[in-house]
Amino acid sequence: MLSGLVLAALLIAQLVFVVPGVVNRYDSTVDTLVSIERAKLQSAVRYTGVDEFDIPGTLLNNTLVGIRISDETGNLLLSKGETKQSLAATDTNVKTVTWSLLAANGSVRADVLLDISSVGWSTFLHALKLLGVALFSSIAGTLFALLGIARFYIHPLDLLVDALQTSRANGDGTIPEMVEFNDSEDLNPLAEEFNSLIDAQRTAARQVKVKQQYLEFAAHTDQLTLLPNRRKFEDGLKATVQEAARDNSKFAVFLVDLDNFKFFNDQYGHLVGDKMVAEVGNRLRTMMRDNDLVARLDGDEFVVIQKDVLDRDSAEEVAARLMSVATAPYEYRGFTLKAAVSVGISCFPHDVHAGQDEEMLGEEIVNNASVALQEAKSNGKNQYQLFNETMRSRLTARIRLEQDLKNALVEEQFEVFYQPKINIATREVTGAEALVRWNHPNRGYISPEEFIPVAEEAGMIIELGEWILRTACKQTNELHRMGYMGLNVAVNISAVQFTDGNLLPMVSKALRDTQLRPELLELEITESAVMHDPEEVIESLLELSQFGMRLAIDDFGTGYSSLAYLKRFPVDTLKIDRAFIIDISSDNDDVAIVEAVLGLGRHFNMKVVAEGIEDEEQLQFLKDQGCDLAQGFYISKPLELKAYISWLQSWPHGIQREASSNIVPLKALRKTGTS
Ligand code: C2E
Ligand code: CA
Ligand code: CA
């Protein structure tokens, strides 16, 4: 199509010149012929007299076919060759011309017939020749032009289209190659435009890649230590288990946990705490080989996977080295800091059950290391422990306990026992502490000290705690209806319930449903739970106390209470831990602690309850010290509801009327700051 157009254009352009040329040539050839014939005739008649006027017959030829010569008066002097009439029949192309010629005796007039058909024919041939040349040159020109267009325009554009098509066909966001049009200046702006688009696309793609790499890195890296994080560790563990299972090789997992890190953080501040974690992480990594894995799992917990561990002895050696590296002192901002760590170790395949899938194997080995770590912690910290059979059976027992616990609530295996409390001065009963009991179908009664921590960890304490609270409120209300008016009940609240965020709605609903007056319910929260996050706890305690119920700090003296906080807690009661009462008659330190707690109670207008009273001597001592309330085996063991009722009936000193009424003004006093 394009070539046809070019060809036609070139042809037309040439014809524009050829046609007038041909016409001109025809005319001038005719003119030349005419003037040649005239010159020939003139020279023939020049010396011819009029009388015997003649000319040679040879003058007639193919062109000059007829001659009529007349004198000046019009007399015909000579006639030779064809006449108009004789020629009329033929269609020869004849031209009639009249010449005035000079003869010897003056001028004559010559009317001649010129056959110019030969000129037409030769001109036609000439025109044909010219056309041939024109056609040839047009075709050549067209080809040339096409080659040029192809080279300078079509080829570069093809490149461009190709580049775009490939990138689209790949469909994976591949960016086309840059194009280069070496010879096509005209197309260079297009190439530049295209290339700058590609360049922009490349830059964007690079940025996306860098961002992806960063996200990938961040998703797998702990920001503080720049060690792999838990996710990365899990991937690494999986790969290690696979490798070990395939190659029959061994490896060991070490869980490394800083001892008393919270205390350290509180004492030196979080910045120093962070620095310590980063330092320990760095040291662990430096100590291990490149193909081992060191990761940070949690705040102050690291994990190390060491490959190709020969045996358990060498795992212990590694643990000892990990400990000494982690605990070497270092200087930071003028402090000499020294971390203490505990390590739990578990070895593969020694410590796992064969025949599980790889994910389970990984989980088991980490769980085992964690059990060993707990063992190290409960054995006094700052040591390593290798997972062993005793731990395994404890672990199995614990797993079974957890499973049994799940059934226990549904199957109503729990009971609430009550341990009475008395006013030491009058010995009147003020109420009781509700203590949960689990009547296990096979094992009989299981101590709350054994199953409460399990329920806490398994998340069951929320449901169990609610059941205990509701039962205690309901049964206490029943006692009131039976005539034991004014008895209060103290219910233990686990730290997990306390931070659950649902405590107040849960408690208030229980009070509403059971119709127990709020001031007859006391919530016991352990000192360590209270001190875990004092600011947040103050908020919750305020809400609870505004609702009207009482609050007690349990096991007081065993945690690290800050007196500054104590002042701000809206607490009604301190319960001195049993541990300080046991040796009160022999241990002067315990006496000092009890006296101090009583002093604090007086100062902050809090009631003080002494727990674990086992004999008259202890009771007398506390009475002398001015302690308000007592609870313990000496008064009564925890009793199931019926036994509690019988006990109340037989208690010789009676029940304190509105046992709690004297607490209200005390708290009010402290709040108004008149203490
Ligand atoms: P706790 O709150 O300090 O409870 C007092 C514990 O001391 C009770 O043990 C009680 O039986 C025991 N005790 C009382 N008087 C004496 C005594 O004179 N001598 C001796 N040796 N022991 C005495 P129990 O009932 O086994 O409870 C142990 C712990 O379990 C409780 O300590 C409390 O922390 C937890 N617990 C018990 N019941 C509940 C509950 O309903 N909810 C929650 N969250 N925890 C509970
Ligand atoms: Ca308690
Ligand atoms: Ca206690």
Side-chain angles (χ1 to χ4, degrees):
M1 169 75 183
L2 181 68
S3 49
L5 281 176
V6 173
L7 186 63
L10 283 173
L11 216 50
I12 288 168
Q14 301 214 40
L15 286 182
V16 168
F17 294 100
V18 167
V19 171
V22 168
V23 173
N24 276 345
R25 183 183 165 99
Y26 178 79
D27 288 348
S28 68
T29 313
V30 170
D31 287 350
T32 313
L33 260 184
V34 170
S35 48
I36 289 172
E37 293 308 323
R38 186 180 187 273
K40 279 201 292 191
L41 193 58
Q42 172 66 67
S43 61
V45 297
R46 183 71 183 91
Y47 302 103
T48 309
V50 177
D51 314 330
E52 62 302 17
F53 203 89
D54 200 12
I55 52 167
T58 52
L59 269 181
L60 288 173
N61 55 28
N62 285 342
T63 308
L64 189 62
V65 290
I67 306 170
R68 300 282 171 276
I69 295 177
S70 335
D71 63 12
E72 282 176 324
T73 55
N75 296 324
L76 183 68
L77 302 176
L78 179 105
S79 175
K80 266 197 178 148
E82 304 286 350
T83 64
K84 264 188 190 166
Q85 289 76 16
S86 70
L87 283 174
T90 65
D91 57 354
T92 330
N93 193 355
V94 172
K95 186 177 165 80
T96 312
V97 204
T98 303
W99 294 323
S100 177
L101 302 171
L102 276 175
N105 307 34
S107 62
V108 291
R109 167 193 157 109
D111 293 299
V112 293
L113 294 173
L114 295 163
D115 183 351
I116 54 165
S117 45
S118 69
V119 178
W121 184 239
S122 82
T123 309
F124 173 71
L125 286 178
H126 179 69
L128 221 53
K129 207 164 78 192
L130 284 182
L131 262 182
V133 171
L135 198 62
F136 176 77
S137 64
S138 298
I139 290 172
T142 305
L143 284 177
F144 197 68
L146 284 181
L147 278 175
I149 290 174
R151 169 154 184 208
F152 296 119
Y153 294 94
I154 297 179
H155 176 63
L157 289 174
D158 272 355
L159 279 181
L160 209 65
V161 171
D162 262 6
L164 289 170
Q165 278 175 346
T166 347
S167 86
R168 191 165 47 182
N170 287 348
D172 55 1
T174 333
I175 297 159
E177 288 301 309
M178 296 253 187
V179 294
E180 211 176 307
F181 305 150
N182 287 333
D183 306 315
S184 311
E185 281 185 11
D186 291 352
L187 288 180
N188 275 345
L190 183 64
E192 274 163 25
E193 198 60 29
F194 179 77
N195 287 341
S196 76
L197 274 177
I198 289 175
D199 200 42
Q201 223 176 328
R202 290 234 162 111
T203 313
R206 253 196 314 274
Q207 282 166 350
V208 167
K209 198 164 173 197
V210 167
K211 205 164 157 185
Q212 275 170 346
Q213 280 170 341
Y214 173 73
L215 288 178
E216 176 79 358
F217 171 79
H220 289 109
T221 307
D222 168 57
Q223 296 302 303
L224 176 63
T225 57
L226 298 183
L227 288 175
N229 61 12
R230 179 180 288 275
R231 242 175 89 183
K232 180 97 180 169
F233 162 71
E234 278 164 6
D235 293 347
L237 176 68
K238 205 166 139 194
T240 310
V241 172
Q242 279 170 355
E243 194 184 297
R246 191 190 54 218
D247 305 345
N248 265 333
S249 58
K250 300 175 176 180
F251 70 90
V253 170
F254 305 83
L255 282 180
V256 182
D257 193 281
L258 300 189
D259 293 334
N260 306 327
F261 182 63
K262 191 182 146 15
F263 178 69
F264 182 91
N265 246 341
D266 290 347
Q267 196 160 17
Y268 294 98
H270 284 270
L271 266 181
V272 180
D274 282 357
K275 179 71 195 158
M276 162 94 99
V277 169
E279 178 71 24
V280 170
N282 191 32
R283 290 177 181 198
L284 297 181
R285 182 182 32 208
T286 326
M287 194 200 109
M288 301 308 290
R289 297 165 308 185
D290 278 352
N291 70 333
D292 296 330
L293 179 69
V294 179
R296 181 183 180 208
L297 294 182
D298 261 329
D300 59 344
E301 186 170 332
F302 297 91
V303 65
V304 176
I305 298 181
Q306 198 205 12
K307 302 202 178 146
D308 306 316
V309 181
L310 288 179
D311 49 27
R312 288 161 64 83
D313 288 346
S314 55
E316 285 190 83
E317 279 164 28
V318 173
R321 260 192 299 137
L322 281 171
M323 283 186 67
S324 76
V325 163
T327 56
Y330 73 101
E331 299 289 324
Y332 179 66
R333 292 196 177 167
F335 298 108
T336 301
L337 303 174
K338 188 174 177 339
V341 299
S342 300
V343 181
I345 317 160
S346 177
C347 293
F348 184 94
H350 184 276
D351 294 333
V352 295
H353 293 90
Q356 311 175 73
D357 71 27
E358 280 149 5
E359 201 167 321
M360 300 292 282
L361 286 173
E363 206 175 305
E364 191 183 358
I365 194 153
V366 174
N367 280 345
N368 292 349
S370 169
V371 170
L373 175 65
Q374 278 162 29
E375 181 80 11
K377 292 273 182 189
S378 53
N379 279 0
K381 305 180 179 173
N382 197 22
Q383 58 183 276
Y384 63 79
Q385 284 287 341
L386 199 57
F387 184 74
N388 59 32
E389 280 314 307
T390 323
M391 294 179 204
R392 185 191 301 289
S393 41
R394 265 212 304 274
L395 185 65
T396 323
R398 149 114 206 203
I399 291 168
R400 190 165 308 135
L401 189 74
E402 203 175 305
Q403 281 163 351
D404 290 351
L405 257 181
K406 286 186 183 140
N407 297 329
L409 251 180
V410 187
E411 294 178 5
E412 299 183 355
Q413 294 166 5
F414 294 108
E415 293 165 28
V416 175
F417 276 43
Y418 297 90
Q419 187 175 36
K421 281 184 292 185
I422 58 163
N423 177 327
I424 298 184
T426 65
R427 303 218 174 180
E428 289 168 322
V429 187
T430 60
E433 175 178 5
L435 293 159
V436 69
R437 294 290 176 264
W438 178 12
N439 193 355
H440 189 278
N442 309 324
R443 294 177 54 192
Y445 283 107
I446 299 179
S447 161
E449 274 171 299
E450 186 181 341
F451 70 83
I452 291 284
V454 180
E456 283 177 338
E457 264 178 53
M460 277 177 279
I461 192 69
I462 303 288
E463 208 183 334
L464 176 59
E466 182 170 357
W467 180 86
I468 296 167
L469 181 91
R470 293 179 73 90
T471 309
C473 291
K474 194 176 84 197
Q475 294 183 338
T476 305
N477 204 29
E478 279 166 18
L479 289 174
H480 294 166
R481 278 200 246 116
M482 289 167 69
Y484 302 107
M485 307 294 284
L487 282 182
N488 62 26
V489 66
V491 177
N492 293 284
I493 300 294
S494 135
V496 177
Q497 288 173 282
F498 202 73
T499 47
D500 166 55
N502 195 39
L503 186 61
L504 180 63
M506 187 276 278
V507 175
S508 54
K509 183 165 187 299
L511 287 172
R512 222 176 23 248
D513 292 353
T514 59
Q515 300 201 321
L516 183 73
R517 283 157 48 202
E519 64 272 21
L520 294 180
L521 173 65
E522 187 162 62
L523 302 180
E524 293 191 5
I525 301 143
T526 62
E527 184 181 22
S528 48
V530 168
M531 284 301 159
H532 187 70
D533 188 354
E535 288 297 342
E536 197 185 327
V537 164
I538 287 173
E539 289 292 302
S540 316
L541 289 178
L542 274 172
E543 278 179 8
L544 290 165
S545 78
Q546 272 157 13
F547 200 80
M549 57 206 114
R550 313 292 169 212
L551 299 166
I553 299 186
D554 204 355
D555 303 344
F556 192 74
T558 55
Y560 306 94
S561 269
S562 150
L563 295 185
Y565 280 121
L566 198 58
K567 187 173 77 178
R568 291 170 57 202
F569 285 139
V571 163
D572 308 274
T573 310
L574 297 178
K575 294 191 83 173
I576 305 179
D577 193 66
R578 202 170 70 221
F580 304 116
I581 306 293
I582 296 172
D583 299 327
I584 210 156
S585 49
S586 56
D587 190 328
N588 282 337
D589 289 347
D590 286 350
V591 172
I593 290 172
V594 171
E595 280 176 354
V597 176
L598 288 168
L600 280 174
R602 264 193 299 276
H603 181 79
F604 291 124
N605 286 311
M606 294 170 184
K607 290 260 159 200
V608 178
V609 181
E611 281 189 300
I613 307 293
E614 293 191 353
D615 55 40
E616 180 62 31
E617 197 184 339
Q618 290 165 345
L619 194 61
Q620 269 310 322
F621 173 83
L622 289 158
K623 188 181 176 189
D624 295 344
Q625 294 293 323
C627 183
D628 307 281
L629 301 159
Q631 174 187 350
F633 291 174
Y634 179 61
I635 298 142
S636 167
K637 291 203 165 184
L639 305 163
E640 54 139 342
L641 183 64
K642 273 193 192 146
Y644 179 35
I645 296 171
S646 312
W647 182 88
L648 285 169
Q649 282 167 345
S650 60
W651 182 246
H653 307 284
I655 295 166
Q656 180 171 305
R657 290 277 145 228
E658 275 308 298
S660 62
S661 61
N662 52 348
I663 298 174
V664 185
L666 290 176
K667 187 159 75 178
L669 269 178
R670 189 169 77 257
K671 276 187 184 158
T672 51
T674 44
S675 65

